């Protein structure tokens, strides 16, 4: 009789155990009001825009934006960075629309002295 494959057992064998990285972080309703969230996202985008325009590496810009958002309690915010644009999106939970903001970096003149 052929062996029957259970999908869960196959995935457990391949993955080597439960996930070690937290996934699917969601916001909790009622943490911050919309005005505060908008201000925090604006600040994070300004920091990222300044760093990107001065020649910072994409990983450093993304990390700085995430740190600003996390410092103000916006856990689970998504940051997307391209060569000339930064997008930050935050799901405010059930009953509220997500908030997304974008900045386009018009000029990129590397100035590592100012960046430091």
């Amino acid at each position: 009789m052929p062996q029957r494959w259970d999908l869960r057992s196959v995935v457990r064998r391949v993955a080597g155990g439960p996930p070690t990285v937290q996934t699917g972080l969601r916001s909790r309703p009622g943490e911050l009001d919309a005005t505060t969230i908008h201000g925090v996202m604006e600040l994070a985008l300004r920091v990222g825009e300044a760093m990107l325009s001065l020649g910072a590496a994409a990983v450093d810009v993304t990390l700085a934006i995430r740190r600003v958002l996390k410092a103000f309690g916006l856990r689970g915010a998504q940051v997307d960075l391209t060569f000339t644009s930064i997008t930050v999106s935050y799901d405010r939970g059930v009953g509220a629309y997500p908030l997304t903001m974008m900045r386009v970096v018009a000029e990129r003149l590397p100035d590592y002295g100012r960046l430091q």
Side-chain angles (χ1 to χ4, degrees):
M1 178 186 266
Q3 184 179 7
R4 194 168 165 203
W5 291 95
D6 179 30
L7 183 59
R8 288 185 185 192
S9 63
V10 171
V11 170
R12 281 189 195 121
R13 276 185 287 197
V14 171
T20 57
V21 177
Q22 243 184 348
T23 59
L25 295 176
R26 297 287 184 245
S27 61
R28 294 184 198 112
E31 284 184 351
L32 298 171
D33 61 292
T35 307
T36 305
I37 293 171
H38 186 272
V40 170
M41 289 174 65
E42 179 71 28
L43 174 64
L45 282 170
R46 285 182 184 204
V47 168
E49 179 184 22
M51 290 178 69
L52 196 60
S53 69
L54 292 175
V59 68
D60 295 333
V61 174
T62 304
L63 187 60
I65 292 171
R66 287 185 191 275
R67 283 182 177 163
V68 170
L69 295 170
K70 189 176 178 183
F72 284 93
L74 294 182
R75 302 196 190 299
Q78 301 297 315
V79 179
D80 183 40
L81 181 68
T82 65
F83 187 70
T84 58
S85 69
I86 305 168
T87 306
V88 176
S89 184
Y90 181 68
D91 183 7
R92 296 185 288 162
V94 179
Y97 291 109
L99 194 65
T100 300
M101 297 176 71
M102 180 179 173
R103 265 303 152 86
V104 176
V105 179
E107 221 174 281
R108 286 185 58 122
L109 298 172
D111 186 351
Y112 301 111
R114 285 181 56 195
L115 179 61
Q116 216 172 22

